[in-house]
Amino acid sequence: MVRVCVIGAGAAGLCAARHLLVEPCVSQLDILEQAPQLGGTWVYTENVGYDDFGLPIHTSMYKSLRTNLPKEIMGFPDFPVPESDKSYLPAKDMLAFLKLYADKHGVTDKIKFRHHVQLVIPKQTPSGELWDVTYKNLTNGAIETKEYDYIFVCNGHYNTPFIPHIPGLKEFKGDVMHSHDYRVPDIFADKRVLVIGAGPSGMDIALELTTVSKKVILSHHLKEQPRTEFPDNLQQKPDVERLEGDKVHFLDGSEDEVDVVFLCTGYMYNFPFLHESCDIVVEENCVEPLYKHVVNMKHPSMCFIGVPYYVCAFSMFDLQVRYYVRSMNGTFSLPTPEQMAEHWEEEKRDRAARGFTRRQAHMMGPDQEKYYASLADEAKTKTLPSVVTKIRDESMIRFFHNLKNYRQDKYKIIDDGTYEIISNGKREVIC
Ligand SMILES: Cc1cc2nc3c(=O)[nH]c(=O)nc-3n(C[C@H](O)[C@H](O)[C@H](O)COP(=O)(O)OP(=O)(O)OC[C@H]3O[C@@H](n4cnc5c(N)ncnc54)[C@H](O)[C@@H]3O)c2cc1C
Ligand SMILES: *[C@@H]1O[C@H](CO)[C@@H](O)[C@H](O)[C@H]1NC(C)=O
Ligand SMILES: *[C@@H]1O[C@H](CO)[C@@H](O)[C@H](O)[C@H]1NC(C)=O
């Protein structure tokens, strides 16, 4: 019988709890969530900076956000998003979905809300390695330390801004802001804005800013130019070479004047509560040493849910949780630490050979199906149907080349390998 601590009640933590609650080998389950409600990223608030308890505001959600993937592939394998007439949903619908999921599986009542995890530290005991977790009850300020056999780290990875090194950024005369703090476009009314980064947030927000700003410059290094037709007040530029006063110098030698530098440069993995004796190191956004991006190799009774990106997030969380729970309950045994380390080194060599940088250590994209199959095979569980990755690929292409209208597309899953898409009144079946 084991005692398990889940840190965080976003989609990943809820999914972990959903499986752990019905797992016979689990005798005690604590789900610790610092916020007063579940849902993590999907909770919208106007507030930025710090909350009432002095903790950094967690969510990066902005008001106008619609999902960048169709809801048909955003549910859990055993709990799809309910049918409705649209595929791309506002954040509040995704939050409602997560509440439904948690309620249906008896998770909500088990969550200790307003409990902030401060420290996780391993300790050696005669019966093996255990964990001490120290957390603060934010309601009354009481700090407590409790012992667990297993730790699920589900604290989310889109909260700590990544600020790239750009010469002159510190001295820049105008405002500098990161997309983590973006809520509504009004503050950019009539401004000249330099948006740096063309990921999902950068593209969406740049387009939104064109409705209020005088001028939007979208600076990026995408290998392929998006075919999206942007409004006339949006101009694409290569990477920034340096900033000087209110001037931007681009790599192609051109220059421009701007009022605001708006960083859509992504986020950093951050585990402030892990004591260094947990042996988890984050360098250049690579979290090590993790076996299959899930298991802490140095302390295999600690796992991480949700580290890979460019994935079908909730489905992958579910597969990672099923994988790890099966290692807990004896369906299979994890390899030895040496074998796990060798597996990871081999994966890193393979990724490097294919041109992935260290910063992209957890990027899946084209590697998704292989990754899902490798988890499923080892744990003797079901992998994700290929239709979810197929729809993901299709949606991403349409995002890129038809940013203005792709969210009107409607998808329907027909079977594990086949889907239907209705776009611009035309219906197509793809397998
Ligand atoms: C703007 C934006 C748009 C996105 N759009 C999409 C999309 O369209 N489709 C998609 O699939 N994905 C999208 N994502 C990714 C999204 O983050 C994931 O889909 C998923 O919701 C992440 O879930 P999570 O549980 O890993 O993290 P989170 O949702 O961040 O949840 C982590 C939870 O842990 C809690 N926590 C953290 N630290 C502590 C602590 N020390 N003690 C206690 N509790 C703690 C937090 O309060 C939070 O509730 C988007 C992300 C962002 C930022
Ligand atoms: C946290 O503090 C509040 C207020 O005192 C209390 O009602 C609640 O039970 C505490 N939580 C736990 C898990 O002890
Ligand atoms: C182990 O866990 C998996 C996943 O939750 C479950 O399907 C399986 O029945 C469990 N096996 C045992 C022996 O409990």
Side-chain angles (χ1 to χ4, degrees):
M1 295 306 255
V2 296
R3 299 154 298 172
V4 185
C5 178
V6 173
I7 302 171
L14 296 173
C15 180
R18 176 254 179 280
H19 288 284
L20 290 164
L21 272 174
V22 295
E23 173 50 51
C25 79
V26 175
S27 59
Q28 192 197 322
L29 174 64
D30 283 337
I31 310 152
L32 304 174
E33 169 54 59
Q34 66 193 15
Q37 60 173 309
L38 59 77
T41 293
W42 299 98
V43 178
Y44 175 76
T45 166
E46 280 175 8
N47 300 337
V48 296
Y50 294 86
D51 68 13
D52 297 343
F53 301 102
L55 299 173
I57 296 279
H58 181 82
T59 190
S60 305
M61 191 51 59
Y62 45 93
K63 197 166 189 180
S64 67
L65 181 127
R66 276 169 193 279
T67 58
N68 54 33
L69 295 175
K71 70 166 190 309
E72 286 73 15
I73 59 162
M74 281 196 60
F76 296 97
D78 58 356
F79 199 83
V81 180
E83 194 36 54
S84 61
D85 57 351
K86 289 208 163 58
S87 277
Y88 295 87
L89 304 181
K92 69 168 176 30
D93 290 5
M94 287 310 297
L95 182 60
F97 166 70
L98 288 175
K99 285 189 173 140
L100 189 67
Y101 175 72
D103 287 348
K104 267 270 157 60
H105 295 97
V107 173
T108 313
D109 293 340
K110 300 281 293 178
I111 303 170
K112 288 184 171 39
F113 290 109
R114 292 189 200 271
H115 281 68
H116 176 239
V117 173
Q118 296 181 318
L119 185 66
V120 177
I121 188 164
K123 64 174 179 188
Q124 305 310 322
T125 74
S127 53
E129 186 170 77
L130 297 174
W131 298 96
D132 268 340
V133 176
T134 302
Y135 52 85
K136 183 178 190 175
N137 181 341
L138 296 170
T139 310
N140 62 8
I143 293 173
E144 202 184 327
T145 299
K146 235 170 122 173
E147 190 179 278
Y148 297 95
D149 300 283
Y150 285 94
I151 305 289
F152 280 65
V153 180
C154 307
N155 65 321
H157 310 303
Y158 302 95
N159 327 289
T160 308
F162 170 69
I163 313 285
H165 174 72
I166 299 171
L169 183 63
K170 279 205 189 78
E171 298 80 23
F172 177 69
K173 287 237 180 67
D175 292 329
V176 178
M177 177 174 160
H178 189 276
S179 54
H180 173 61
D181 296 323
Y182 178 73
R183 298 294 181 261
V184 289
D186 313 25
I187 53 168
F188 295 117
D190 301 322
K191 301 255 163 118
R192 299 166 299 177
V193 187
L194 169 66
V195 176
I196 300 182
S201 301
M203 296 265 278
D204 266 340
I205 297 173
L207 186 61
E208 176 162 83
L209 294 186
T210 60
T211 60
V212 300
S213 302
K214 193 189 287 175
K215 177 158 133 186
V216 178
I217 300 170
L218 178 59
S219 161
H220 64 75
H221 49 250
L222 295 172
K223 286 196 195 88
E224 192 190 352
Q225 207 62 15
R227 286 199 301 273
T228 291
E229 267 178 52
F230 288 107
D232 288 342
N233 61 341
L234 187 148
Q235 201 187 353
Q236 297 184 62
K237 287 274 190 180
D239 282 343
V240 174
E241 190 233 325
R242 70 198 152 93
L243 296 163
E244 211 175 10
D246 60 358
K247 267 219 180 82
V248 200
H249 297 268
F250 297 97
L251 280 182
D252 63 0
S254 64
E255 55 178 64
D256 227 315
E257 279 174 17
V258 294
D259 306 305
V260 185
V261 174
F262 188 9
L263 303 168
C264 295
T265 42
Y267 298 89
M268 294 191 296
Y269 294 99
N270 191 17
F271 308 99
F273 45 83
L274 295 186
H275 186 266
E276 62 178 30
S277 59
C278 298
D279 295 309
I280 290 296
V281 178
V282 185
E283 254 172 45
E284 285 183 66
N285 232 27
C286 172
V287 187
E288 290 188 290
L290 297 184
Y291 175 59
K292 295 197 174 177
H293 308 264
V294 174
V295 184
N296 180 344
M297 291 178 207
K298 296 271 178 72
H299 308 269
S301 54
M302 169 182 279
C303 72
F304 294 73
I305 305 302
V307 169
Y309 60 95
Y310 294 171
V311 293
C312 300
F314 298 5
S315 288
M316 180 197 71
F317 300 168
D318 192 84
L319 180 54
Q320 290 183 322
V321 169
R322 278 185 281 139
Y323 168 85
Y324 191 74
V325 170
R326 281 164 179 256
S327 79
M328 289 167 60
N329 77 10
T331 305
F332 75 102
S333 300
L334 290 170
T336 63
E338 294 71 32
Q339 288 167 331
M340 291 197 266
E342 180 42 42
H343 185 276
W344 174 228
E345 291 308 319
E346 173 59 35
E347 182 175 342
K348 279 201 288 191
R349 280 194 294 273
D350 174 61
R351 284 175 165 262
R354 288 182 297 132
F356 285 52
T357 65
R358 189 171 162 81
R359 289 202 65 76
Q360 296 168 327
H362 304 295
M363 185 176 103
M364 287 301 157
D367 285 3
Q368 274 180 95
E369 286 209 58
K370 203 172 79 189
Y371 175 62
Y372 301 151
S374 128
L375 289 174
D377 287 349
E378 189 181 359
K380 306 181 185 75
T381 185
K382 205 172 166 217
T383 191
L384 304 179
S386 64
V387 72
V388 298
T389 44
K390 284 182 190 169
I391 293 181
R392 191 180 182 283
D393 293 345
E394 173 96 43
S395 171
M396 290 308 289
I397 292 170
R398 288 167 178 263
F399 158 80
F400 203 58
H401 294 302
N402 188 16
L403 186 60
K404 276 195 277 186
N405 299 313
Y406 87 106
R407 285 188 173 92
Q408 289 159 27
D409 296 344
K410 176 77 171 81
Y411 289 82
K412 188 174 167 195
I413 289 180
I414 304 212
D415 61 37
D416 280 359
T418 318
Y419 64 94
E420 176 188 276
I421 173 171
I422 300 174
S423 181
N424 221 346
K426 279 209 308 270
R427 165 201 223 101
E428 242 184 297
V429 173
I430 299 169
C431 54

